[in-house]
Amino acid sequence: MRKLPDVASIPLAGNPDAGANSGINQLKGHRSARHDSAHLHVTGKATYIDDRPEMADQLHAGFGLSTQASAEIVSIDLDEVRDSPGVVAVITIDDIPGHKDIGPVFPGDMLLADGKVDYVGQPVFAVAAISHRLAREAATKARIEYRPLDKILGVDRAMEQSSFVRPDHTMKKGDADTAIARAPGQVSGEMTNGGQEHFYLEGQIASVIPLEDGQLHVYTSSQHPSEVQKLVAEVINVPLSKVVADVRRMGGGFGGKETQAAAPACIAAVLAVKTGKPVKFRVERQQDMISTGKRHPFRHRYQVGFEQDGLLAGVDIEVAGDAGHSPDLTDAIVDRAMFHSDNAYYLNNARVKGYRCRTNTASNTAFRGFGGPQGMLVIERIMDDVARATGQDPLDVRLKNLYGIGDRNTTHYHQKVEHNVLHELIGRLEKSSDYRERRKAITAFNDSSPVLKKGLALTPVKFGISFTARHLNQAGALAHVYTDGSIQINHGGTEMGQGLYTKVAQIVANEFGVSLDQVQVTSTRTDKVPNTSPTAASSGADLNGKAAQDACRKIRNRLTRFAAEHYQVPEDKVVFDNNSVVIDGKPMPFSEFVQIAYLNRISMSSNGFYSTPEIHYDRETASGRPFYYFACGASVSEVTVDTLTGEYKVERVDILHDVGRSLNPAIDRGQIEGGFIQGMGWMTTEELVWDDNGRLLSNNPATYKIPSIEDMPPVFNVELFEQANPEHTIYHSKAVGEPPFMLGMSVWAAIRDAVSSLSGYQVNPNINVPATTERVLKAINELKYHGVTKPEHEGQEVMANVD
Amino acid sequence: MINFLLNDKPVEVNETASDTTVLDYLRGNASGSQQRKTGTKEGCCSGDCGACTVAVGEPEGDQVRYRTMNACIALMPSLHGKQLLTVEDLAEGEQLHPVQQALVDHHASQCGFCTPGIVMSLFALHHENPESKPDVLEALGGNLCRCTGYRPLVDAARELAEKKPSDVYHQNRTTIANQLNAMKVDEGFLANGSFIPDSEDELAEYLEANPDARLLAGGTDLGLEITQQLKRLKKLVVVGQVNDLQTIEQHDNELVLGAGATYRNIEPVLQGHFPEFAQMLKRLGSQQVRNQGTLGGNIGNASPIGDTPPVLLALDASIDCRKGKRIRNLPLNKFFLDYKKTDLQEGEYISRIRIPLKPHDLKVYKLSKRYGDDISTVLAAINLVTDDDGIVVSARIAFGGMAAIPRRALRCEQILQGQTLDEATLARAQAALEEEFQPMTDVRASSEYRIQAACNLLERYFRESAGQNMRIIYHA
């Protein structure tokens, strides 16, 4: 038996939990650790792809985009492009050595146009030049002749013509038709929601470096490095093992870099292989906005039967998502819209049908919430309809229809809603936000205010956590403990600002009982952890945190076994804590201990793996447990609406959000606030406008308005609902990336509440999403001058921008 | 050559073309630039997101005044005689600048891409004189962040607002001012394809001889031709050094504003005479744009949705146009001819804007999709002067966003003349507006919305004149 160091020689620093067993299912200490890159962000030292040193023979890519929504390419003359100053290479579809289609799940996304174009902004050819500017200039010099074909713009036209990218799908429970027909009250309606531009501050970018023996190193701003690796390998026709995709950080992703980061990487790779030189492709903002997909616009139709007290008896909901020209991820996105068309409410008898419309725009894609927000809008609108029809406060109708705790808890896809926190959560928020008193005050204000009207609304969120594609619910990690006690961790998740690296570092530090500065998280690379899932579906920390924990525990278990043997103590007398290994009550510095383990030839490197248990969904029967658990929240918004102009201001917001036992309350709060404001933007000012030719007019930040700091509610109370997740998630936390986005719905509901006051709260005004000032004024007109609400007439003629 | 201080180092730029943006220079994207300061980011390259925000120091006596600008659309000649600071400059070794520390402490960065711009906006705010310090929301309105939801940024900024600057820039302000003053050249000179005059006479002479040269004032619109339309602007004449063009004079009967005066600089004097005008200026573009953009540029640009022309029309402003030695004064309502067409002659430039100081009751209403940093959907400037009996003795109403040019509502004005502000008058005046304007439908709004909003804003004016206060308060 070796001699243990003398206890007195080791200072036990001020951790009150020192000595307690670590690695139990709880995160100790440094909970609100700052973002691991915070000091780099504020000093300009955080390196994004465009900031990397350039090579002496660096080339820059640019592309030429289609000007037609649907057309056959009659001829392409690229002579002037080739002759343009600084141009080194020009490629079309014919120059792609391998796969030409980079569709992520289903085919349909040609890397460059193949004889026809399907949307304005589709890449037709690409160029490599000695500078970014010269590449862009060259790309303007193509002469392309098109023969226009019939085009389909908008969900209405696609539905009329049965233009779909994928078959429809239906979820059913009970007998909706009978229940609706027999119910004492009925409402029906139609509404639309617009899309949403991601507006990641860092645009799409990739940088490809050709290496020996046909290998490529691909720096990509992607949420899905494994997919970039695969698609790059396929387009240049080499095995996956020749390609490394490498992501240190993104300047924002929000879903926009899940599938659609691949195209710039693939184009840069083809040009790099063709020229043998490093090629960087930074897509300039306007081209990014024109050529990449967005959140799916939807059209929704619904018919509802309800009891006299407002309890739903049956619902029939049809959601139709605008996929754009190709499937991309639309199948799963429309599925999620369908899964979430209950939001927090028990639908009793339900039929939910979802269509996937094919239209001639960029292919719409993942965006925070992934169809969930669109689905939830419908039922929230229904709640307000029913409230107006039954003369109740909308909050009472919402409370009445919440999923039950012991009963009334089966969804329309036959998953049981367990561990329902909604009643408690909403009850607390109702009180803390002083909802009832403010309701009275607002009603009084509106009675005496002729022009300004206030509105108030509380809306809940219940969001299903897991990828609905079952195989994606897996993750890997790789941990190394070095001989000085420092630890390196790598995992399959990507950092896009959400603080994933920080959370994973906290987990690793916790598992080894060391301080956070001992842990280095390195860039996400497909050669360290292979076959990874996208960082999406809010699952980053759930999956990768668990995988990292697994890797750490494998090493820790080896070290524990070693210590037990080496010092002849039982394994349960070996504890990792406070930068020490405490062996039979005697602490030894972690760094000293690993040195001894190394000399005794103990492996201190391990991979880790995790797959989410229990989840399944059978598409044939439209039933199963697609979600491991639900993350919930609720928000109360108060707005003032100007009935002369349709302008409005969000005056106060109160949020209570369920993160389980938070891994990092500061980071989680950041996700909640950021998600809320982003959701509010979608509900309010973020309007995508196309002209009749399918050209996106809102194609830059001068015309597409995301919230600015002046839109932040002056009163913005955000609290975490900290209750351990009963499921076995990482330290019983809950996912937090997407769910808060949908808290923004309360702003939309509050605007409608304010406008509804014009009808004495008899009518739920028809205000589609986004509720722009123009739409709000239109709804005001309808109530002021007609007293009724009519479906909004869309599709008015739109002309070019007048800057 | 162009001389400036890059942080604390004097720099001479000889090789870089005049139409090079400061951002391309910093990041090393421009030929002739050996810099590789990549802390400053490109977010949109159109001056709308603020990721590229840098601070520019200008001597003000023996002090230095720091203001922000969007490096993505700022051109190199505009740096002459100034100090350029970027995010890399602020920390001293490992010691973060207080602005940076506040952001870290408040968990105010997520993806971090907008952060360098926010650091620089906060830096400039931190160095503002207490008496003219803008509100935090105003100062950061041009820095878009897609991640945080802004709350931690506001908290960090409010915490900083309590602190006085004590950094090296504050300590060395006199030295820096002296260095910058020493860079002043007493006569105009050619630099990298630009002419940088030192006086109005030089400017007028050069422009008359070179009518093909493009005027670079704030550059907040001109820069877009380079970055968005990929134009090359080889021949520029830069007015930034011409002090005569930036004068602000108050006379008994008129306010005379140099065409090169920035929005920021004219705001205090307008606050005294036309508070509604000054309030609207706080919503014109972003702080970065207001720091650089000029009143003359806003007029000369002749956009139908420029924010100041309708207000100036409602105030009976006139402009001095100068060509060579000849100066002519033109009422502003004769200046705008058609979409982006003006009465400005070849080789002529706008020199001064004259606003008569006479009784007025000006109200300015700006409608836009987003409250801050947005281009107007409709801008209404209404100025109805009534006598003691409530009879309208003078009516001036002008709109932006309602026609191909900023335009007065002449028929509506006629109808109001001699009337009292009652419901019957309102109805007739609104009918006149509907008749005389056929606004277009575009990405910002439909024609129907614009016309109804214009009519409703007239109603608002009537109600406000009757003592009803009914505007949403955006900044408490």
Side-chain angles (χ1 to χ4, degrees):
Chain A
M1 181 178 166
R2 313 294 166 106
K3 189 177 179 298
L4 277 164
D6 184 13
V7 178
S9 70
I10 309 287
L12 270 178
N15 185 345
D17 296 329
N21 204 356
S22 75
I24 56 165
N25 264 332
Q26 188 159 343
L27 189 61
K28 297 189 306 173
H30 49 69
R31 283 183 73 218
S32 276
R34 61 167 175 73
H35 194 286
D36 73 323
S37 293
H39 62 298
L40 303 175
H41 293 152
V42 298
T43 50
K45 289 178 183 160
T47 307
Y48 302 82
I49 290 170
D50 198 37
D51 306 335
R52 298 187 59 78
E54 294 186 352
M55 310 254 170
D57 54 352
Q58 183 73 50
L59 297 180
H60 300 262
F63 52 17
L65 304 179
S66 158
T67 56
Q68 303 284 313
S70 175
E72 187 188 323
I73 297 175
V74 178
S75 67
I76 305 186
D77 176 357
L78 299 175
D79 287 348
E80 279 189 52
V81 180
R82 285 190 194 90
D83 294 343
S84 191
V87 169
V88 177
V90 179
I91 55 167
T92 65
I93 182 88
D94 299 329
D95 298 293
I96 298 171
H99 290 195
K100 299 172 198 303
D101 191 328
I102 60 166
V105 186
F106 305 103
D109 296 297
M110 303 306 288
L111 182 55
L112 294 169
D114 187 13
K116 72 180 182 78
V117 292
D118 292 310
Y119 71 99
V120 175
Q122 181 174 353
V124 177
F125 66 94
V127 46
I130 58 171
S131 81
H132 179 75
R133 171 91 183 186
L134 289 172
R136 279 184 69 197
E137 284 180 4
T140 63
K141 296 177 181 170
R143 291 171 192 205
I144 302 172
E145 198 185 329
Y146 297 99
R147 182 178 303 129
L149 303 170
D150 287 344
K151 58 179 175 290
I152 295 174
L153 297 171
V155 171
D156 285 344
R157 284 271 288 152
M159 290 295 287
E160 275 164 32
Q161 302 201 10
S162 298
S163 169
F164 302 117
V165 292
R166 297 283 304 153
D168 56 63
H169 182 53
T170 301
M171 299 170 186
K172 272 187 210 164
K173 181 167 161 286
D175 180 353
D177 291 338
T178 307
I180 295 167
R182 287 191 183 157
Q186 283 98 14
V187 290
S188 62
E190 178 178 324
M191 64 168 289
T192 63
N193 67 260
Q196 185 177 26
E197 161 62 38
H198 302 83
F199 210 83
Y200 26 65
L201 263 287
E202 177 209 35
Q204 302 280 4
I205 184 167
S207 184
V208 176
I209 298 168
L211 305 169
E212 64 176 26
D213 203 16
Q215 298 179 80
L216 291 182
H217 198 95
V218 181
Y219 294 101
T220 167
S221 182
S222 167
Q223 295 170 241
H224 200 347
S226 283
E227 189 166 273
V228 170
Q229 175 204 19
K230 172 177 174 286
L231 293 172
V232 163
E234 287 175 355
V235 297
I236 63 168
N237 205 17
V238 298
L240 268 67
S241 57
K242 297 271 189 191
V243 179
V244 174
D246 186 332
V247 184
R248 172 55 187 90
R249 62 170 62 79
M250 282 164 270
F254 314 113
K257 295 174 180 171
E258 183 173 346
T259 63
Q260 304 213 354
C266 289
I267 286 173
V270 172
L271 286 165
V273 169
K274 189 179 167 80
T275 60
K277 295 182 176 184
V279 176
K280 179 160 74 179
F281 191 2
R282 171 164 66 84
V283 183
E284 170 271 333
R285 177 64 59 183
Q286 196 169 83
Q287 289 198 327
D288 188 316
M289 290 180 76
I290 293 168
S291 65
T292 64
K294 298 150 201 334
R295 183 185 295 286
H296 287 58
F298 268 70
R299 186 192 78 185
H300 313 275
R301 288 179 167 166
Y302 59 90
Q303 203 182 355
V304 178
F306 54 92
E307 310 295 341
Q308 267 147 358
D309 63 357
L311 197 66
L312 294 180
V315 301
D316 184 7
I317 291 174
E318 174 199 291
V319 300
D322 185 341
H325 77 96
S326 75
D328 188 84
L329 301 172
T330 297
D331 230 15
I333 288 166
V334 174
D335 277 357
R336 195 172 269 272
M338 297 165 68
F339 285 128
H340 287 86
S341 59
D342 59 346
N343 191 11
Y345 312 110
Y346 178 64
L347 298 186
N348 205 348
N349 297 285
R351 177 171 53 234
V352 178
K353 188 168 188 182
Y355 292 96
R356 291 95 165 113
C357 298
R358 183 190 179 281
T359 65
N360 290 105
T361 66
S363 191
N364 290 318
T365 192
F367 195 145
R368 204 174 199 170
F370 204 75
Q374 291 96 321
M376 288 182 191
L377 286 176
V378 192
I379 197 72
E380 291 304 330
R381 158 111 200 203
I382 288 169
M383 289 295 135
D384 288 333
D385 281 356
V386 172
R388 301 313 173 200
T390 57
Q392 300 182 75
D393 186 317
L395 176 57
D396 291 321
V397 174
R398 288 186 163 91
L399 288 170
K400 209 163 283 178
N401 280 289
L402 289 180
Y403 276 106
I405 308 264
D407 61 346
R408 295 170 40 83
N409 59 0
T410 309
T411 66
H412 55 294
Y413 47 92
H414 307 280
Q415 172 166 358
K416 195 167 251 186
V417 177
E418 294 174 294
H419 319 301
N420 182 353
V421 300
L422 287 161
H423 299 265
E424 189 187 339
L425 188 150
I426 295 173
R428 268 168 58 182
L429 181 65
E430 182 186 329
K431 279 204 187 68
S432 66
S433 69
D434 206 15
Y435 180 93
R436 301 289 172 181
E437 283 306 307
R438 286 163 68 200
R439 167 63 68 199
K440 280 183 214 156
I442 282 170
T443 308
F445 173 90
N446 288 344
D447 284 345
S448 66
S449 172
V451 170
L452 300 184
K453 300 288 180 186
K454 286 181 185 280
L456 184 71
L458 185 153
T459 58
V461 170
K462 171 187 123 291
F463 193 77
I465 302 300
S466 294
F467 286 98
T468 56
R470 186 166 173 269
H471 69 277
L472 294 178
N473 296 287
Q474 58 172 315
L478 180 64
H480 306 311
V481 176
Y482 294 97
T483 52
D484 63 352
S486 67
I487 303 167
Q488 206 180 70
I489 181 73
N490 196 275
H491 57 83
T494 55
E495 176 65 42
M496 59 193 111
Q498 82 280 39
L500 174 62
Y501 278 22
T502 311
K503 285 183 172 178
V504 172
Q506 288 177 268
I507 292 163
V508 171
N510 196 56
E511 291 296 324
F512 285 111
V514 299
S515 53
L516 200 51
D517 58 11
Q518 289 293 98
V519 181
Q520 179 69 49
V521 186
T522 60
S523 72
T524 308
R525 294 170 56 128
T526 56
D527 57 348
K528 283 202 166 185
V529 176
N531 313 325
T532 55
S533 295
T535 308
S538 308
S539 69
D542 278 19
L543 298 179
N544 297 289
K546 273 284 195 186
Q549 184 186 46
D550 181 49
C552 295
R553 287 189 174 181
K554 283 178 182 163
I555 298 171
R556 200 184 67 200
N557 289 343
R558 277 182 223 146
L559 292 172
T560 303
R561 265 197 308 277
F562 160 70
E565 282 171 20
H566 195 70
Y567 296 109
Q568 295 291 300
V569 297
E571 287 190 15
D572 63 1
K573 294 288 184 189
V574 180
V575 175
F576 292 76
D577 194 30
N578 198 30
N579 289 316
S580 301
V581 185
V582 184
I583 302 164
D584 202 18
K586 293 169 187 159
M588 176 193 301
F590 183 74
S591 53
E592 200 174 304
F593 174 76
V594 297
Q595 186 64 236
I596 296 167
Y598 166 73
L599 293 172
N600 285 276
R601 301 188 298 174
I602 303 300
S603 163
M604 293 189 287
S605 172
S606 177
N607 67 347
F609 187 77
Y610 176 72
S611 62
T612 314
E614 298 186 53
I615 48 175
H616 58 93
Y617 179 69
D618 178 1
R619 228 181 144 74
E620 289 298 306
T621 60
S623 66
R625 180 181 178 177
F627 305 118
Y628 188 34
Y629 63 90
F630 295 99
C632 297
S635 65
V636 180
S637 290
E638 179 178 333
V639 303
T640 306
V641 172
D642 181 337
T643 59
L644 284 177
T645 58
E647 294 166 287
Y648 47 82
K649 166 140 184 73
V650 182
E651 308 275 9
R652 173 174 168 182
V653 172
D654 295 74
I655 291 172
L656 185 58
H657 194 79
D658 160 34
V659 293
R661 192 183 282 146
S662 175
L663 292 174
N664 184 318
I667 283 175
D668 285 351
R669 185 176 177 188
Q671 287 298 298
I672 294 164
E673 291 169 345
F676 173 85
I677 295 292
Q678 201 174 63
M680 181 185 85
W682 179 52
M683 304 281 160
T684 56
T685 57
E686 294 186 39
E687 187 181 29
L688 291 162
V689 183
W690 283 267
D691 71 7
D692 291 343
N693 295 315
R695 284 188 307 147
L696 180 67
L697 300 178
S698 49
N699 58 17
N700 59 43
T703 48
Y704 183 77
K705 308 311 279 188
I706 70 168
S708 84
I709 200 167
E710 293 171 277
D711 298 309
M712 193 192 82
V715 182
F716 195 13
N717 301 318
V718 176
E719 296 287 335
L720 306 184
F721 181 81
E722 279 212 59
Q723 206 170 83
N725 186 354
E727 301 296 348
H728 293 286
T729 52
I730 183 75
Y731 303 138
H732 298 283
S733 62
K734 282 193 179 184
V736 70
E738 292 164 290
F741 178 89
M742 286 145 275
L743 297 170
M745 285 188 300
S746 62
V747 172
W748 175 61
I751 291 170
R752 283 181 295 114
D753 184 59
V755 176
S756 181
S757 71
L758 294 169
S759 70
Y761 298 105
Q762 299 292 300
V763 174
N764 180 25
N766 198 339
I767 304 176
N768 285 330
V769 170
T772 57
T773 52
E774 172 157 6
R775 287 202 171 121
V776 172
L777 186 62
K778 199 167 193 173
I780 290 164
N781 288 339
E782 283 166 3
L783 262 59
K784 258 191 187 167
Y785 304 118
H786 308 292
V788 289
T789 177
K790 288 180 289 192
E792 180 178 338
H793 180 70
E794 295 277 350
Q796 60 204 349
E797 196 188 342
V798 168
M799 288 183 286
N801 191 0
V802 282
D803 287 285
Chain B
M1 75 194 80
I2 296 162
N3 287 299
F4 62 98
L5 279 180
L6 183 56
N7 192 17
D8 52 359
K9 293 193 179 53
V11 176
E12 285 180 9
V13 175
N14 297 308
E15 303 292 314
T16 306
S18 270
D19 61 354
T20 303
T21 65
V22 172
L23 182 64
D24 276 345
Y25 168 80
L26 284 171
R27 295 187 59 88
N29 294 336
S31 59
S33 165
Q34 302 303 315
Q35 302 293 337
R36 190 72 185 149
K37 290 179 75 137
T38 56
T40 310
K41 308 301 178 198
E42 177 178 321
C44 69
C45 220
S46 55
D48 292 305
C49 79
C52 65
T53 302
V54 293
V56 173
E58 286 181 64
E60 206 169 49
D62 63 349
Q63 307 273 312
V64 184
R65 188 188 67 193
Y66 290 103
R67 296 251 163 110
T68 54
M69 70 179 189
N70 289 311
C72 70
I73 52 171
L75 304 184
M76 288 302 287
S78 65
L79 289 180
H80 183 74
K82 296 177 184 167
Q83 183 187 26
L84 174 63
L85 297 182
T86 71
V87 68
E88 291 100 333
D89 301 329
L90 303 195
E92 292 178 59
E94 293 298 301
Q95 181 67 45
L96 296 181
H97 188 276
V99 156
Q100 296 169 319
Q101 191 62 49
L103 291 172
V104 170
D105 291 345
H106 286 274
H107 301 274
S109 70
Q110 287 185 26
C111 87
F113 204 80
C114 70
T115 311
I118 285 166
V119 167
M120 297 319 291
S121 283
L122 284 177
F123 171 84
L125 181 65
H126 189 54
H127 280 264
E128 288 273 0
N129 286 328
E131 59 272 18
S132 59
K133 201 167 201 157
D135 181 69
V136 164
L137 302 182
E138 217 178 293
L140 289 175
N143 289 90
L144 297 181
C145 170
R146 193 55 151 165
C147 295
T148 63
Y150 300 108
R151 193 273 314 159
L153 299 175
V154 174
D155 285 358
R158 297 230 190 277
E159 181 194 286
L160 281 165
E162 319 266 300
K163 294 182 180 160
K164 288 202 169 89
S166 61
D167 56 16
V168 291
Y169 304 104
H170 184 73
Q171 289 161 23
N172 300 341
R173 57 197 186 280
T174 310
T175 318
I176 297 167
N178 290 340
Q179 275 180 287
L180 294 176
N181 283 322
M183 288 179 189
K184 287 265 176 213
V185 182
D186 286 341
E187 57 181 19
F189 60 101
L190 280 164
N192 312 4
S194 302
F195 181 64
I196 305 183
D198 186 57
S199 68
E200 251 209 277
D201 287 344
E202 287 176 355
L203 167 66
E205 193 185 326
Y206 180 83
L207 206 57
E208 189 175 29
N210 299 274
D212 57 330
R214 298 292 300 275
L215 262 184
L216 172 63
T220 55
D221 201 67
L222 194 69
L224 298 175
E225 293 187 23
I226 295 160
T227 66
Q228 299 302 303
Q229 297 164 34
L230 299 179
K231 283 191 192 166
R232 304 240 175 185
L233 305 178
K234 288 295 172 204
K235 201 170 186 180
L236 296 172
V237 52
V238 186
V239 304
Q241 305 292 313
V242 183
N243 290 333
D244 324 351
L245 264 188
Q246 295 170 37
T247 52
I248 294 168
E249 299 165 38
Q250 296 187 64
H251 301 289
D252 287 346
N253 56 352
E254 68 174 359
L255 207 56
V256 184
L257 305 173
T262 62
Y263 303 118
R264 265 308 283 294
N265 288 352
I266 61 174
E267 193 197 303
V269 69
L270 291 175
Q271 185 68 46
H273 294 283
F274 312 105
E276 292 251 334
F277 192 174
Q279 285 308 303
M280 184 278 286
L281 282 186
K282 292 177 192 288
R283 286 179 65 194
L284 189 156
S286 60
Q287 188 80 336
Q288 292 89 327
V289 166
R290 294 187 289 267
N291 286 338
Q292 306 301 324
T294 63
L295 189 58
N298 203 223
I299 297 168
N301 189 34
S303 163
I305 43 182
D307 277 342
T308 65
V311 186
L312 294 168
L313 286 171
L315 292 174
D316 282 336
S318 67
I319 53 176
D320 289 355
C321 299
R322 177 166 174 182
K323 181 179 183 178
K325 293 197 160 40
R326 188 181 66 95
I327 299 173
R328 63 180 177 128
N329 181 266
L330 188 69
L332 191 61
N333 66 347
K334 301 269 190 237
F335 181 70
F336 303 110
L337 303 178
D338 202 345
Y339 178 68
K340 291 242 175 186
K341 279 207 179 69
T342 70
D343 192 52
L344 204 65
Q345 309 299 306
E346 267 213 341
E348 193 177 40
Y349 68 92
I350 302 169
S351 154
R352 270 162 188 64
I353 295 94
R354 296 174 182 275
I355 308 177
L357 295 176
K358 55 184 183 182
H360 71 88
D361 190 5
L362 174 75
K363 292 193 190 306
V364 181
Y365 307 117
K366 172 170 172 155
L367 295 182
S368 51
K369 208 170 260 182
R370 182 174 71 196
Y371 174 79
D373 192 7
D374 198 1
I375 292 166
S376 292
T377 305
V378 172
L379 188 133
I382 305 176
N383 180 12
L384 304 180
V385 181
T386 51
D387 64 15
D388 293 345
D389 300 327
I391 307 287
V392 175
V393 293
S394 152
R396 288 290 181 271
I397 298 176
F399 288 102
M402 292 290 287
I405 54 171
R407 219 184 84 186
R408 267 171 60 186
L410 294 173
R411 203 175 305 179
C412 183
E413 289 176 2
Q414 268 170 14
I415 281 175
L416 290 166
Q417 187 75 33
Q419 305 296 309
T420 52
L421 300 182
D422 57 26
E423 270 186 48
T425 309
L426 176 63
R428 285 172 53 225
Q430 287 176 325
L433 286 183
E434 286 179 9
E435 263 177 58
E436 65 183 318
F437 286 99
Q438 292 83 40
M440 73 192 298
T441 292
D442 71 3
V443 65
R444 294 193 173 82
S446 71
S447 175
E448 297 76 34
Y449 176 78
R450 287 191 158 104
I451 196 79
Q452 190 192 354
C455 290
N456 288 1
L457 291 175
L458 192 61
E459 177 182 340
R460 162 153 299 149
Y461 188 95
F462 274 53
R463 284 175 178 265
E464 288 185 343
S465 295
Q468 294 182 37
N469 191 1
M470 54 184 56
R471 274 193 245 184
I472 294 178
I473 297 159
Y474 282 88
H475 291 186

